[in-house]
Amino acid sequence: MLTLRRLWSLDHPVWLCGFRSFFLFAVLSAPLLVLAWGAFIAWGVPLPATPGGAFVWHAHELLFGFGLAAVAGFALTAVPEFTRSPAVGPRAVRLLALSWLTGRVAFWASGAVGTAALIVSALAHLALLAGLIFLLAPRLWRHPERRHLSFLWALIALTLLVAGFYADALSGASPARWLHATLGVLMILIVVALSRISMRIVNASIDTWREKGGTLRDEYRARPPRRNLAIVCIGLYTAVEFVAPGVRLGGWLALAASAALFNLLNDWHVGRPLFRRWPLMLYLVYVLMASGFGLIGFALIGGDGAVSSGRHLLTVGALGLSVFVVVCIAGRTHGGYPLDERRWIPASAALLVAAAVMRAVAGGAGSHGVAWMSAASVAWVLAFALCCAYLAPLFVRARANGGVGCEGPPPTPDGS
């Protein structure tokens, strides 16, 4: 009890910066949620009874649980850094974290308790997003160039999607379409966020290559035209899939999104510096995203409507790997630590890529689908279990350098 009371205290390190509690939620929920889903798929272990059944519970928790925790942690850390404004205070962080936890408990209990729990879950999720907008919108709007307003639009879009999901759930309609649209918005947010992160990571790798005697003429630039084209194509596909799921037009737009993402990767082809762990992992996020939209496009144009394989390349692959990389980078640097160069990082990344590929294969594996899904679940759980073991303790521990803020350490010569 004393431990819990100490954890709730505002001077506990877990409330020091927004990323600490929310990245902790992300890395803990990732293996636990998929472990529960894998047990359900393989052995029929029951899941919480929620509106829409097991599929909706699974997608809701990975998007509004795991995904939203990662978004909140990133936004609470990146926006103050990008706008050069003070970190969000511990009291606000604790209230936002309580909203996230309340949303989990209430949604899980909604099948047993009924409408009241579903309403509480809706209010908790909306409170989290409204709190993020209230805290971050003034900073984004007051920034002289307003270069980062895309984060605000993404938060507003997520708020509308959460409201739509719960409106359908409370009315008895299937809320799955709101989850599919949420996935599209998260893909756009990943493109926006990685464009900021990649500028630092890739160019640091190029600098290291030059220091070692390598020759490279140009710096890496995340060019807005290519990025904006990808965002527009993803947005158009998401809109069409929302209003008219399964139509061939959605397939063509998904292929356009895939082509735009592969085109975006042309900016990344900088030679040997790309093949260092951090640039390469960021690069693979885009590869998985582009491949996912490509599979969706071919499925819709082919007329069978089997888009599960492509969607899981987006969720297990692009979303899972991007959250992993961001947690590893921001979670350590803003905690006062240099980046981790140990082997568990590429091992976990490889497990996540393998999980995405196996889950995509499961969509067309017929009677062997359960075995492929189970193997994918094991790979995902192992990847995030390693993440928990190596990173979770840092989120509840005082800063390594004795600091009290969210600032990161100076960059190291190798770009880490």
Side-chain angles (χ1 to χ4, degrees):
M1 191 65 183
L2 290 175
T3 301
L4 291 177
R5 191 176 298 133
R6 171 77 179 92
L7 180 63
W8 188 246
S9 173
L10 285 174
D11 63 358
H12 194 282
V14 76
W15 314 119
L16 177 63
C17 297
F19 77 87
R20 287 174 171 263
S21 56
F22 283 102
F23 282 179
L24 182 64
F25 292 155
V27 299
L28 289 176
S29 65
L32 294 176
L33 291 172
V34 174
L35 190 62
W37 178 250
F40 169 75
I41 291 296
W43 301 298
V45 177
L47 294 170
T50 56
F55 163 76
V56 169
W57 175 87
H58 174 57
H60 178 281
E61 288 306 293
L62 283 178
L63 296 176
F64 293 160
F66 165 72
L68 196 51
V71 168
F74 176 80
L76 288 169
T77 307
V79 170
E81 179 185 9
F82 294 158
T83 59
R84 298 182 180 178
S85 56
V88 175
R91 189 178 302 276
V93 171
R94 192 176 66 178
L95 287 173
L96 293 174
L98 181 61
S99 296
W100 186 90
L101 288 169
T102 302
R104 309 276 62 70
V105 174
F107 186 71
W108 286 39
S110 60
V113 176
T115 301
L118 202 58
I119 292 173
V120 170
S121 181
L123 293 175
H125 284 87
L126 291 173
L128 169 58
L129 286 161
L132 289 171
I133 292 170
F134 174 79
L135 291 166
L136 303 179
R139 303 163 186 249
L140 292 165
W141 199 262
R142 287 196 300 261
H143 191 266
E145 299 177 5
R146 294 182 180 173
R147 293 173 52 199
H148 308 291
L149 279 177
S150 49
F151 292 110
L152 175 59
W153 310 140
L155 290 174
I156 292 172
L158 288 173
T159 304
L160 295 174
L161 292 170
V162 167
F165 172 91
Y166 280 98
D168 272 7
L170 286 165
S171 69
S174 173
R177 60 177 180 151
W178 299 97
L179 296 170
H180 296 155
T182 298
L183 179 59
V185 172
L186 289 176
M187 293 301 104
I188 291 173
L189 187 54
I190 288 170
V191 172
V192 173
L194 291 198
S195 69
R196 272 70 170 177
I197 297 170
S198 63
M199 290 280 286
R200 182 177 302 174
I201 295 297
V202 177
N203 282 321
S205 183
I206 290 173
D207 290 342
T208 300
W209 173 251
R210 287 172 173 160
E211 290 170 4
K212 293 181 177 179
T215 57
L216 199 66
R217 291 184 300 170
D218 299 325
E219 298 292 328
Y220 163 75
R221 292 289 179 267
R223 292 177 173 83
R226 283 176 168 163
R227 180 174 71 249
N228 292 338
L229 177 61
I231 289 171
V232 168
C233 290
I234 294 171
L236 288 173
Y237 161 74
T238 301
V240 168
E241 187 66 12
F242 180 79
V243 299
V247 300
R248 289 171 63 88
L249 174 60
W252 289 111
L253 290 172
L255 287 180
S258 176
L261 287 161
F262 278 123
N263 176 58
L264 185 153
L265 284 176
N266 285 320
D267 289 336
W268 289 68
H269 297 153
V270 296
R272 292 286 295 275
L274 175 62
F275 294 95
R276 299 177 64 82
R277 65 170 62 185
W278 301 108
L280 185 58
M281 285 190 289
L282 293 172
Y283 182 87
L284 288 174
V285 170
Y286 284 121
V287 171
L288 290 165
M289 192 184 299
S291 301
F293 281 114
L295 284 181
I296 291 172
F298 286 123
L300 291 176
I301 292 171
D304 60 7
V307 300
S308 174
S309 293
R311 282 202 180 119
H312 281 92
L313 281 182
L314 300 182
T315 51
V316 180
L319 179 61
L321 185 58
S322 64
V323 170
F324 172 77
V325 176
V326 168
V327 167
C328 288
I329 292 174
R332 283 188 64 92
T333 57
H334 288 279
Y337 298 87
L339 287 192
D340 197 330
E341 296 298 327
R342 288 173 289 184
R343 293 180 180 177
W344 75 270
I345 297 279
S348 295
L351 284 168
L352 288 174
V353 173
V357 172
M358 288 188 288
R359 187 57 186 85
V361 169
S367 60
H368 299 290
V370 171
W372 282 104
M373 283 190 281
S374 299
S377 297
V378 170
W380 170 285
V381 169
L382 287 175
F384 277 104
L386 286 170
C387 195
C388 287
Y390 285 100
L391 287 179
L394 306 185
F395 300 149
V396 296
R397 186 185 301 165
R399 282 181 62 99
N401 57 7
V404 294
C406 299
E407 69 279 358
T412 59
D414 65 351
S416 63

